Amino acid sequence: MSDIGLGTLEWGGRVDARTAGELLERYRDLGGNLVELSSAVSPAAEILGSLLPDAGVDSQPILCARSGVRISPEGPVADASRGTLLGQLDAVLATLGRSALDLWVIDVWDASVPLDETLSAMETAWRSGRVRYLGLSHHAAWQIAAVAGQLPVTAVLAEHSLVHRAAEPDLLQVCGHYGIGVIAGAALGRGVLTGKYASGVPQGSRGADAALSGYVSQRLGEREKRVVQGVLRAAHGLNLTPVQIALAWSAAKPGISSRLVAPRDVAQLEEVMTAELPELPEEILQALDEVSGESRSI
């Protein structure tokens, strides 16, 4: 699994099929091999299915897709019932033109469904060969332990960056205990850690988009602004870019196996994929941890 995974958050929206094809091709050229679908019902699945090569498995990227959220008239609803999970899995496999998914992620803990029912669906998918590995997302540490104690969970997807460290320490610790790799979602803080929002919301950015502005605004509070200023100071002092600082900090975190980014164009992708990630000096790591509100001792 590559250090950087390609997210498809905006595919089918601001990223059209042609641009998605350019992103996937360039990502593979640069050595990337992990592609993540943020939802089983995402329009990205249809686009990705049209782009995947017809050749054998060796030429295919590692595909990660989520199930467990359905769309109702009231909006997204958690549904980890057996029927919904397996139905969504079969639907995404058909859309992708694949007989098996590399990593299947249960995207939510659904308290309205008995855990045994969710586990049964996961085990059925795994033993039938429809999925090679099992994963979880949006699960608390104790919920991960409840599942991992009964089934082989390989990966947990959790948003993790300098501006969002809720995964520390409990989630990272429980994943370490069970030997589960953590894939850091939104590794650039939903774009905030690039520094582009340091002086306001630029035109054409996610923050200026009606459909995505709420997603970004959650990372534009006063605390996050202080973190970004710390990143910018570190970048200036080390003659690096903010992207290099943010990703190098993440790379220094034990337990993080890969980091997801969702670029809108090839230029953004190349900045991430070609960024050299130096080992940051301890004093810089300490300063970044302090400004982001966590201790290096955790």
Side-chain angles (χ1 to χ4, degrees):
M1 183 182 296
S2 54
D3 290 339
I4 300 294
L6 180 62
T8 59
L9 174 68
E10 296 191 63
W11 289 24
R14 297 198 308 163
V15 175
D16 59 23
R18 177 179 177 180
T19 302
E22 294 171 351
L23 284 166
L24 182 61
E25 181 178 10
R26 186 61 178 141
Y27 175 68
R28 299 299 306 282
D29 288 344
L30 291 170
N33 68 355
L34 171 64
V35 181
E36 180 250 3
L37 293 172
S38 59
S39 167
V41 296
S42 165
E46 185 173 348
I47 295 174
L48 183 58
S50 70
L51 297 173
L52 293 174
D54 296 327
V57 169
D58 288 344
S59 66
Q60 303 271 12
I62 297 170
L63 295 184
C64 165
R66 310 182 191 216
S67 296
V69 176
R70 59 179 172 82
I71 305 301
S72 75
E74 292 75 32
V77 176
D79 188 345
S81 64
R82 179 182 174 88
T84 293
L85 290 178
L86 294 177
Q88 289 184 345
L89 172 61
D90 290 339
V92 78
L93 286 173
T95 301
L96 293 172
R98 298 279 290 263
S99 61
L101 195 63
D102 299 299
L103 176 60
W104 187 40
V105 175
I106 307 305
D107 199 25
V108 68
W109 175 274
D110 185 357
S112 70
V113 173
L115 177 59
D116 286 347
E117 181 177 341
T118 300
L119 293 174
S120 171
M122 295 173 69
E123 185 171 14
T124 295
W126 177 53
R127 293 194 181 280
S128 68
R130 281 178 278 179
V131 301
R132 297 186 175 92
Y133 299 100
L134 299 170
L136 301 170
S137 184
H138 299 113
H139 282 60
W142 71 268
Q143 295 166 345
I144 294 169
V147 177
Q150 301 188 61
L151 286 175
V153 176
T154 299
V156 164
L157 274 67
E159 183 171 352
H160 185 258
S161 72
L162 273 164
V163 292
H164 188 77
R165 299 179 64 178
E168 300 177 52
D170 293 348
L171 187 145
L172 293 181
Q173 288 179 349
V174 77
C175 287
H177 175 76
Y178 284 99
I180 300 170
V182 177
I183 300 174
L188 292 175
R190 307 184 182 185
V192 170
L193 291 170
T194 64
K196 71 170 64 178
Y197 297 97
S199 301
V201 177
Q203 289 187 347
S205 67
R206 286 179 188 162
D209 183 84
L212 295 169
S213 59
Y215 174 75
V216 176
S217 66
Q218 295 176 24
R219 302 291 176 260
L220 292 177
E222 291 304 313
R223 172 189 167 275
E224 289 81 5
K225 290 178 181 178
R226 290 194 297 271
V227 173
V228 170
Q229 289 303 313
V231 169
L232 293 175
R233 286 194 297 270
H236 178 75
L238 296 175
N239 196 28
L240 298 172
T241 67
V243 167
Q244 286 176 292
I245 295 294
L247 293 179
W249 174 88
S250 178
K253 281 292 174 186
I256 304 295
S257 304
S258 185
R259 284 146 283 277
L260 292 176
V261 297
R264 199 180 78 185
D265 55 44
V266 171
Q268 291 180 350
L269 173 69
E270 290 179 338
E271 181 181 7
V272 173
M273 293 294 291
T274 61
E276 294 186 13
L277 303 184
E279 184 175 339
L280 296 178
E282 180 63 28
E283 60 269 24
I284 296 296
L285 291 172
Q286 179 70 42
L288 291 172
D289 280 341
E290 288 177 356
V291 76
S292 60
E294 297 290 343
S295 168
R296 287 280 288 158
S297 63
I298 293 176

Short mmCIF file of all heavy atoms in Angstrom, two decimals, residues 163-203:
data_model
loop_
_atom_site.label_atom_id
_atom_site.label_comp_id
_atom_site.label_asym_id
_atom_site.label_seq_id
_atom_site.Cartn_x
_atom_site.Cartn_y
_atom_site.Cartn_z
N VAL A 163 -4.68 19.45 12.30
CA VAL A 163 -5.86 20.20 12.72
C VAL A 163 -6.99 19.30 13.20
O VAL A 163 -8.07 19.79 13.56
CB VAL A 163 -6.38 21.14 11.61
CG1 VAL A 163 -5.39 22.26 11.35
CG2 VAL A 163 -6.70 20.38 10.34
N HIS A 164 -6.75 17.99 13.23
CA HIS A 164 -7.78 17.08 13.73
C HIS A 164 -7.10 15.83 14.27
O HIS A 164 -6.75 14.93 13.51
CB HIS A 164 -8.77 16.71 12.64
CG HIS A 164 -9.95 15.93 13.17
ND1 HIS A 164 -11.00 16.53 13.84
CD2 HIS A 164 -10.24 14.61 13.15
CE1 HIS A 164 -11.89 15.62 14.20
NE2 HIS A 164 -11.45 14.44 13.79
N ARG A 165 -6.93 15.79 15.59
CA ARG A 165 -6.17 14.71 16.22
C ARG A 165 -7.01 13.88 17.17
O ARG A 165 -6.51 13.33 18.15
CB ARG A 165 -4.95 15.32 16.93
CG ARG A 165 -4.03 16.05 15.97
CD ARG A 165 -2.83 16.66 16.67
NE ARG A 165 -1.98 15.64 17.26
CZ ARG A 165 -0.85 15.91 17.90
NH1 ARG A 165 -0.44 17.16 18.03
NH2 ARG A 165 -0.14 14.94 18.42
N ALA A 166 -8.29 13.74 16.86
CA ALA A 166 -9.18 12.98 17.74
C ALA A 166 -8.80 11.51 17.83
O ALA A 166 -9.19 10.82 18.77
CB ALA A 166 -10.63 13.11 17.24
N ALA A 167 -8.03 11.02 16.85
CA ALA A 167 -7.61 9.62 16.88
C ALA A 167 -6.58 9.34 17.97
O ALA A 167 -6.28 8.17 18.26
CB ALA A 167 -7.04 9.22 15.52
N GLU A 168 -6.02 10.41 18.55
CA GLU A 168 -5.01 10.24 19.58
C GLU A 168 -5.63 10.46 20.96
O GLU A 168 -6.41 11.40 21.15
CB GLU A 168 -3.87 11.24 19.37
CG GLU A 168 -3.16 11.10 18.04
CD GLU A 168 -2.10 12.18 17.87
OE1 GLU A 168 -1.26 12.33 18.77
OE2 GLU A 168 -2.15 12.87 16.85
N PRO A 169 -5.21 9.65 21.94
CA PRO A 169 -4.35 8.49 21.78
C PRO A 169 -5.10 7.17 21.64
O PRO A 169 -4.53 6.17 21.19
CB PRO A 169 -3.55 8.49 23.08
CG PRO A 169 -4.55 8.98 24.10
CD PRO A 169 -5.40 9.99 23.37
N ASP A 170 -6.40 7.16 22.01
CA ASP A 170 -7.10 5.89 22.18
C ASP A 170 -7.17 5.05 20.91
O ASP A 170 -6.88 3.85 20.91
CB ASP A 170 -8.51 6.13 22.72
CG ASP A 170 -8.51 6.69 24.13
OD1 ASP A 170 -7.44 6.68 24.76
OD2 ASP A 170 -9.56 7.16 24.59
N LEU A 171 -7.60 5.68 19.80
CA LEU A 171 -7.78 4.91 18.57
C LEU A 171 -6.44 4.35 18.09
O LEU A 171 -6.35 3.18 17.70
CB LEU A 171 -8.43 5.79 17.50
CG LEU A 171 -8.83 5.08 16.20
CD1 LEU A 171 -10.11 5.69 15.64
CD2 LEU A 171 -7.72 5.15 15.16
N LEU A 172 -5.40 5.17 18.09
CA LEU A 172 -4.09 4.68 17.65
C LEU A 172 -3.58 3.56 18.55
O LEU A 172 -2.97 2.59 18.08
CB LEU A 172 -3.08 5.82 17.59
CG LEU A 172 -3.33 6.90 16.53
CD1 LEU A 172 -2.23 7.95 16.58
CD2 LEU A 172 -3.43 6.30 15.14
N GLN A 173 -3.85 3.67 19.83
CA GLN A 173 -3.38 2.64 20.75
C GLN A 173 -4.11 1.33 20.55
O GLN A 173 -3.49 0.26 20.55
CB GLN A 173 -3.54 3.14 22.19
CG GLN A 173 -2.54 4.22 22.57
CD GLN A 173 -2.72 4.73 23.99
OE1 GLN A 173 -3.71 4.41 24.65
NE2 GLN A 173 -1.77 5.51 24.47
N VAL A 174 -5.43 1.37 20.37
CA VAL A 174 -6.15 0.12 20.19
C VAL A 174 -5.79 -0.52 18.86
O VAL A 174 -5.70 -1.76 18.74
CB VAL A 174 -7.67 0.32 20.33
CG1 VAL A 174 -8.29 0.95 19.09
CG2 VAL A 174 -8.38 -1.00 20.64
N CYS A 175 -5.57 0.29 17.84
CA CYS A 175 -5.15 -0.26 16.55
C CYS A 175 -3.77 -0.90 16.67
O CYS A 175 -3.51 -1.97 16.11
CB CYS A 175 -5.15 0.83 15.48
SG CYS A 175 -6.81 1.32 14.95
N GLY A 176 -2.87 -0.27 17.42
CA GLY A 176 -1.57 -0.86 17.65
C GLY A 176 -1.67 -2.18 18.38
O GLY A 176 -0.96 -3.14 18.07
N HIS A 177 -2.57 -2.27 19.34
CA HIS A 177 -2.75 -3.50 20.12
C HIS A 177 -3.19 -4.65 19.23
O HIS A 177 -2.72 -5.79 19.38
CB HIS A 177 -3.77 -3.27 21.23
CG HIS A 177 -4.12 -4.50 22.00
ND1 HIS A 177 -3.29 -5.05 22.95
CD2 HIS A 177 -5.22 -5.32 21.95
CE1 HIS A 177 -3.84 -6.13 23.46
NE2 HIS A 177 -5.01 -6.32 22.87
N TYR A 178 -4.09 -4.38 18.29
CA TYR A 178 -4.63 -5.43 17.42
C TYR A 178 -3.86 -5.56 16.10
O TYR A 178 -4.23 -6.37 15.25
CB TYR A 178 -6.11 -5.17 17.12
CG TYR A 178 -7.02 -5.50 18.28
CD1 TYR A 178 -7.49 -4.50 19.12
CD2 TYR A 178 -7.40 -6.81 18.54
CE1 TYR A 178 -8.33 -4.79 20.20
CE2 TYR A 178 -8.23 -7.11 19.61
CZ TYR A 178 -8.69 -6.11 20.44
OH TYR A 178 -9.51 -6.40 21.50
N GLY A 179 -2.79 -4.79 15.93
CA GLY A 179 -2.02 -4.87 14.70
C GLY A 179 -2.76 -4.33 13.49
O GLY A 179 -2.57 -4.82 12.37
N ILE A 180 -3.58 -3.32 13.71
CA ILE A 180 -4.38 -2.72 12.64
C ILE A 180 -3.68 -1.47 12.11
O ILE A 180 -3.26 -0.61 12.88
CB ILE A 180 -5.77 -2.33 13.17
CG1 ILE A 180 -6.51 -3.57 13.69
CG2 ILE A 180 -6.59 -1.63 12.09
CD1 ILE A 180 -7.78 -3.23 14.45
N GLY A 181 -3.55 -1.37 10.79
CA GLY A 181 -2.99 -0.17 10.19
C GLY A 181 -4.01 0.94 10.14
O GLY A 181 -5.21 0.70 9.95
N VAL A 182 -3.55 2.16 10.33
CA VAL A 182 -4.44 3.33 10.28
C VAL A 182 -4.17 4.11 9.00
O VAL A 182 -3.04 4.48 8.71
CB VAL A 182 -4.24 4.24 11.50
CG1 VAL A 182 -5.12 5.49 11.39
CG2 VAL A 182 -4.56 3.48 12.79
N ILE A 183 -5.23 4.33 8.24
CA ILE A 183 -5.16 5.18 7.04
C ILE A 183 -5.71 6.54 7.44
O ILE A 183 -6.88 6.67 7.81
CB ILE A 183 -5.97 4.58 5.89
CG1 ILE A 183 -5.43 3.19 5.52
CG2 ILE A 183 -5.93 5.51 4.67
CD1 ILE A 183 -6.26 2.45 4.48
N ALA A 184 -4.86 7.55 7.39
CA ALA A 184 -5.24 8.89 7.83
C ALA A 184 -6.04 9.60 6.73
O ALA A 184 -5.51 9.92 5.67
CB ALA A 184 -4.00 9.70 8.19
N GLY A 185 -7.31 9.82 7.00
CA GLY A 185 -8.13 10.56 6.06
C GLY A 185 -7.88 12.06 6.18
O GLY A 185 -7.49 12.55 7.24
N ALA A 186 -8.12 12.78 5.09
CA ALA A 186 -7.96 14.25 5.08
C ALA A 186 -6.63 14.65 5.70
O ALA A 186 -6.57 15.48 6.61
CB ALA A 186 -9.12 14.92 5.80
N ALA A 187 -5.56 14.05 5.20
CA ALA A 187 -4.24 14.25 5.80
C ALA A 187 -3.74 15.69 5.70
O ALA A 187 -2.85 16.09 6.45
CB ALA A 187 -3.22 13.32 5.13
N LEU A 188 -4.33 16.47 4.81
CA LEU A 188 -3.98 17.89 4.71
C LEU A 188 -5.05 18.77 5.34
O LEU A 188 -5.20 19.94 4.98
CB LEU A 188 -3.75 18.27 3.24
CG LEU A 188 -2.50 17.64 2.60
CD1 LEU A 188 -2.43 17.98 1.11
CD2 LEU A 188 -1.23 18.10 3.31
N GLY A 189 -5.78 18.19 6.28
CA GLY A 189 -6.76 19.00 7.03
C GLY A 189 -7.83 19.60 6.15
O GLY A 189 -8.20 20.75 6.33
N ARG A 190 -8.33 18.77 5.19
CA ARG A 190 -9.37 19.23 4.26
C ARG A 190 -8.88 20.41 3.42
O ARG A 190 -9.66 21.27 3.02
CB ARG A 190 -10.66 19.57 5.01
CG ARG A 190 -11.16 18.43 5.89
CD ARG A 190 -12.49 18.71 6.56
NE ARG A 190 -12.87 17.59 7.42
CZ ARG A 190 -14.03 17.50 8.07
NH1 ARG A 190 -14.92 18.48 7.94
NH2 ARG A 190 -14.30 16.46 8.83
N GLY A 191 -7.57 20.44 3.20
CA GLY A 191 -6.96 21.48 2.38
C GLY A 191 -6.43 22.65 3.18
O GLY A 191 -5.64 23.46 2.66
N VAL A 192 -6.81 22.75 4.45
CA VAL A 192 -6.43 23.90 5.26
C VAL A 192 -4.92 23.95 5.49
O VAL A 192 -4.32 25.04 5.52
CB VAL A 192 -7.19 23.85 6.61
CG1 VAL A 192 -6.66 24.88 7.58
CG2 VAL A 192 -8.68 24.07 6.37
N LEU A 193 -4.27 22.79 5.64
CA LEU A 193 -2.84 22.77 5.95
C LEU A 193 -1.94 23.10 4.76
O LEU A 193 -0.73 23.21 4.91
CB LEU A 193 -2.45 21.40 6.51
CG LEU A 193 -3.02 21.11 7.91
CD1 LEU A 193 -2.80 19.66 8.29
CD2 LEU A 193 -2.39 22.04 8.94
N THR A 194 -2.52 23.31 3.60
CA THR A 194 -1.73 23.80 2.46
C THR A 194 -1.40 25.28 2.62
O THR A 194 -0.53 25.81 1.92
CB THR A 194 -2.48 23.61 1.14
OG1 THR A 194 -3.69 24.42 1.16
CG2 THR A 194 -2.86 22.15 0.92
N GLY A 195 -2.12 25.95 3.52
CA GLY A 195 -1.94 27.39 3.71
C GLY A 195 -2.81 28.25 2.84
O GLY A 195 -2.79 29.48 2.98
N LYS A 196 -3.61 27.63 1.98
CA LYS A 196 -4.39 28.44 1.03
C LYS A 196 -5.47 29.28 1.70
O LYS A 196 -5.94 30.27 1.14
CB LYS A 196 -5.02 27.53 -0.03
CG LYS A 196 -6.14 26.65 0.47
CD LYS A 196 -6.89 25.95 -0.66
CE LYS A 196 -6.01 24.98 -1.41
NZ LYS A 196 -6.78 24.27 -2.47
N TYR A 197 -5.88 28.88 2.92
CA TYR A 197 -6.93 29.63 3.62
C TYR A 197 -6.37 30.58 4.67
O TYR A 197 -7.13 31.17 5.45
CB TYR A 197 -7.90 28.65 4.30
CG TYR A 197 -8.65 27.76 3.33
CD1 TYR A 197 -8.20 26.47 3.06
CD2 TYR A 197 -9.79 28.21 2.69
CE1 TYR A 197 -8.89 25.64 2.18
CE2 TYR A 197 -10.49 27.39 1.81
CZ TYR A 197 -10.02 26.11 1.56
OH TYR A 197 -10.69 25.29 0.68
N ALA A 198 -5.07 30.75 4.70
CA ALA A 198 -4.44 31.57 5.74
C ALA A 198 -4.90 33.02 5.70
O ALA A 198 -4.96 33.70 6.73
CB ALA A 198 -2.92 31.50 5.62
N SER A 199 -5.24 33.53 4.52
CA SER A 199 -5.65 34.92 4.39
C SER A 199 -7.11 35.06 3.98
O SER A 199 -7.54 36.12 3.52
CB SER A 199 -4.76 35.63 3.35
OG SER A 199 -3.41 35.59 3.73
N GLY A 200 -7.87 34.00 4.15
CA GLY A 200 -9.27 34.03 3.75
C GLY A 200 -9.60 32.85 2.86
O GLY A 200 -8.76 31.97 2.63
N VAL A 201 -10.83 32.82 2.37
CA VAL A 201 -11.28 31.71 1.52
C VAL A 201 -11.10 32.11 0.06
O VAL A 201 -11.78 33.01 -0.44
CB VAL A 201 -12.76 31.38 1.81
CG1 VAL A 201 -13.24 30.28 0.87
CG2 VAL A 201 -12.95 30.97 3.26
N PRO A 202 -10.18 31.46 -0.64
CA PRO A 202 -9.94 31.84 -2.04
C PRO A 202 -11.05 31.37 -2.97
O PRO A 202 -11.69 30.33 -2.72
CB PRO A 202 -8.62 31.14 -2.36
CG PRO A 202 -8.53 29.99 -1.42
CD PRO A 202 -9.25 30.42 -0.18
N GLN A 203 -11.28 32.12 -4.02
CA GLN A 203 -12.25 31.72 -5.03
C GLN A 203 -11.82 30.41 -5.67
O GLN A 203 -10.64 30.16 -5.89
CB GLN A 203 -12.38 32.80 -6.10
CG GLN A 203 -13.07 34.07 -5.62
CD GLN A 203 -13.31 35.03 -6.76
OE1 GLN A 203 -12.77 34.88 -7.86
NE2 GLN A 203 -14.13 36.05 -6.50
#
